[in-house]
Amino acid sequence: MGANSSSISELPENEYLKKLSGAEPISENDPFWNQLLSFSFTTPTNSADLKLLEEATISVCKSLAEKNPRTGNLGSLIKVFLSRTKELKISAECQNHLFIWQAHNALFIICCLLKVFISEMSEEELQLHFTYEEKALGSYGTESEDLIEELLCCLIQLIVEIPLLDITYSISLEAVTTLIVFLSCQLFHKEILRESIIHKYLMRGRCLPYTSRLVKTLLYNFIRQERSPPPGTHVFQQQTDGGGLLYGIASGVATGLWTVFTLGGVGSKPTPQLEQCSPLANQSLLLLLVLANLTDAPDAPNPYRQAIMSFKNTQDSTAFSSSNPHAFQINFNSLYTALCEQQKSDQATLLLYMLLHQNSNVRTYVLARTDIENLVLPILEILYHVEERNSHHVYMALIILLILTEDDGFNRSIHEVILKNITWYAERVLTEISLGSLLILVVIRTIQYNMTRTRDKYLHTNCLAALANMSAQFRSLHQYAAQRIISLFSLLSKKHNKVLEQATQSLRGSLGSNDSPLPDYAQDLNVIEEVIRMMLEIINSCLTNSLHHNPNLVYALLYKRDLFEQFRTHPSFQDIMQNIDLVISFFSSRLEQAGAELSVERVLEIIKQGAVALPKDRLRKFPELKFKYVEEEQPEEFFIPYVWSLVYNSAVALYWNPHDIQLFTMDSG
């Protein structure tokens, strides 16, 4: 960049950057700032270009960090930015492109500097850098002591108050990105930060009154999914000769303008992925997740989490609770639509989880929707493509289903929604199936995948809990869903027999040798028997509560009745087998009376007639199966690394050196 620079590789030698990071103090009123800020640069979005930018500017940033205690140039740059933001709202209304352009450029430089400073020094050292002025080495003034708070507050005001237009899109995005960078100190600590200086600024003082407005704006940014305007339109028109951009409007600003970046910048075609997404929506959602997962202060809860837990629908006219000053209203219909459309990303699924788990207003609204399939189908698709998803994304999707299945109304309604041609379900052509039956199929498929691949007990438990919650409300199960329930039981039965055989052989072998330790088959057997017990309880719950609604399950049960024989006398299953055994005996007898060579249609007809004839009092009643999701103790130990792994992998125009990251290993990220 610079008057004669044309590539990122020349940035370290750029005269303006060298002066900024040099030994000479620069007054905030110096004309130099007009020269420094008169450049055009479309921020790279792919990791390769971002890495190049990082490598090219690291020497400048380190030089400034070294010289800043004497020059105070970081503080001067920030004051220049703060002075220009005071007129931003009027500039947007008056279409003052030049003013917004330079304010954006100042913030872009600040963000680049902060990212390096935060990765290289402690928060205490960073705080000190904001206090240095043009004085003797190591001294600092009193006027600048709250410059961090002033900058943070200014960024929040910029996000919530500046209207989102083509000309303000870039600076709004940069403000969100800079707040993420401010909070990124967590990336460079293995332990969860509980006493962060930046957290304190954001959760009290001048920033606190903006809590609800910031959360609301970030949510609306996610809802609206505004795409980035075409490169260059936020400032100037592109020349048709293809030789870069010439800015007539800025020709009088400085004696030498920085040349346009061509690397990932104006003139390069955006990738199809970038064309289809909204950088501002993505970045806003990431910031929202980071803020919501900040740890509580010793003397006060996290206000951003409070805001997320308590906001209401715009159509809700009930009074706000005086105990929560951060409550606000938002359009739930728009929020629901965005949540349905964006579930392919981890961060959107995590937001949905947080809202369903923490905000009772959202949960009640979602469960009352008559188009619940629009939300459930994307969640099922995540689980169906379990091989392609990271484990955290799968867990979040599964917990969402578990939370939904806690509601009996949901469990009833999903069997009333009939779906046509589920194209992503490849095992079998499903031309017509209820949402409830599809949900059962996908959850069972997830269990089977887990049994053969990951063998995660937590995942097993949550899958079975969701099925158990639904079991009493099973209605008109699709024949394939009924078959898969029994097939899963068959698989578990075979696994049980295999482990039992291994345990027996191991025991026999150990009689002749006292040297080798025995494998812990007892624990394996115990786990499998717990799962088998759960499956029997799910089948029993369906038969006890809705036998006459599920002829296909009875048919599948009769077809594979030999599977259950070995469990009739097993001490762990005798009680739960009573009803299943009774149903098998009752319907087997009726089929024998009807004669041999019965068609499938005739068998189903006999089952339907028998279901009416079977006295309900003959089936033993068991306690209702109900499982409620309970968040683990210290959930921040899971969620904070997860959120920051999403930021690391998904944030637009942000790159961190993986060798510097301390919070998580790159494999888990």
Side-chain angles (χ1 to χ4, degrees), residues 420-470:
K420 307 277 188 181
N421 300 317
I422 308 301
T423 54
W424 48 263
Y425 194 93
E427 279 82 350
R428 178 163 172 157
V429 176
L430 300 175
T431 53
E432 187 172 291
I433 189 170
S434 72
L435 179 61
S437 288
L438 181 64
L439 198 159
I440 292 166
L441 285 175
V442 172
V443 171
I444 286 175
R445 185 180 183 275
T446 307
I447 294 173
Q448 290 180 324
Y449 174 84
N450 187 49
M451 284 175 65
T452 56
R453 306 283 183 87
T454 54
R455 299 182 182 181
D456 187 323
K457 186 181 177 182
Y458 179 80
L459 194 138
H460 254 24
T461 303
N462 283 286
C463 283
L464 291 167
L467 288 176
N469 283 348
M470 294 188 292

Side-chain angles (χ1 to χ4, degrees), residues 43-230:
T43 311
T45 52
N46 67 70
S47 57
D49 288 353
L50 286 164
K51 186 179 179 184
L52 282 177
L53 179 63
E54 172 94 359
E55 291 169 349
T57 55
I58 190 80
S59 61
V60 173
C61 297
K62 288 185 175 181
S63 175
L64 179 63
E66 181 188 338
K67 308 284 193 340
N68 188 57
R70 290 186 292 275
T71 66
N73 284 347
L74 175 64
S76 296
L77 172 61
I78 290 168
K79 288 173 186 175
V80 168
F81 169 71
L82 291 173
S83 69
R84 299 193 181 210
T85 56
K86 291 173 183 174
E87 306 296 330
L88 266 184
K89 196 169 184 180
I90 296 172
S91 298
E93 292 168 358
C94 300
Q95 297 283 305
N96 188 333
H97 295 241
L98 181 59
F99 203 88
I100 296 168
W101 173 45
Q102 290 200 337
H104 165 268
N105 289 348
L107 184 54
F108 174 74
I109 295 173
I110 290 168
C111 188
C112 289
L113 293 170
L114 279 176
K115 193 161 72 65
V116 175
F117 276 42
I118 287 169
S119 67
E120 297 281 333
M121 62 186 71
S122 68
E123 280 191 297
E124 290 75 17
E125 290 176 280
L126 176 69
Q127 189 177 33
L128 209 54
H129 270 280
F130 275 75
T131 64
Y132 293 130
E133 293 183 348
E134 184 187 344
K135 292 188 177 182
L137 177 62
S139 68
Y140 52 90
T142 55
E143 293 178 9
S144 306
E145 285 180 355
D146 289 328
L147 198 56
I148 288 184
E149 183 174 43
E150 199 171 339
L151 178 56
L152 287 169
C153 200
C154 175
L155 293 173
I156 293 172
Q157 288 172 336
L158 199 158
I159 293 167
V160 303
E161 292 179 355
I162 304 301
L164 188 59
L165 309 168
D166 277 3
I167 60 171
T168 60
Y169 191 97
S170 291
I171 195 167
S172 296
L173 175 59
E174 203 62 50
V176 173
T177 301
T178 307
L179 279 178
I180 292 175
V181 168
F182 254 121
L183 291 159
S184 67
C185 47
Q186 176 64 80
L187 281 173
F188 309 102
H189 291 80
K190 287 183 179 179
E191 300 79 23
I192 302 301
L193 286 180
R194 300 179 190 278
E195 295 289 332
S196 165
I197 293 169
I198 304 301
H199 295 187
K200 287 178 183 176
Y201 278 122
L202 287 170
M203 293 203 285
R204 62 187 68 187
R206 291 174 58 191
C207 294
L208 186 62
Y210 290 96
T211 297
S212 58
R213 290 179 66 190
L214 179 58
V215 171
K216 184 175 182 177
T217 303
L218 295 175
L219 274 173
Y220 268 127
N221 285 347
F222 166 70
I223 289 168
R224 289 169 180 149
Q225 293 289 318
E226 292 282 356
R227 296 187 183 186
S228 179

Side-chain angles (χ1 to χ4, degrees), residues 349-411:
T349 305
L350 180 54
L351 175 64
L352 175 59
Y353 157 77
M354 283 170 47
L355 294 179
L356 288 175
H357 177 53
Q358 299 177 356
N359 190 313
S360 59
N361 300 319
V362 173
R363 185 168 61 252
T364 301
Y365 176 85
V366 167
L367 289 168
R369 291 286 301 207
T370 56
D371 59 348
I372 193 69
E373 68 274 14
N374 291 340
L375 187 69
V376 174
L377 281 172
I379 298 299
L380 294 184
E381 237 184 303
I382 293 168
L383 292 175
Y384 183 81
H385 296 293
V386 60
E387 302 94 338
E388 303 166 16
R389 306 290 180 181
N390 69 68
S391 59
H392 289 356
H393 199 184
V394 172
Y395 285 147
M396 288 300 101
L398 198 50
I399 292 168
I400 286 166
L401 287 185
L402 181 56
I403 292 170
L404 293 173
T405 60
E406 291 170 13
D407 183 76
D408 285 340
F410 171 83
N411 295 331

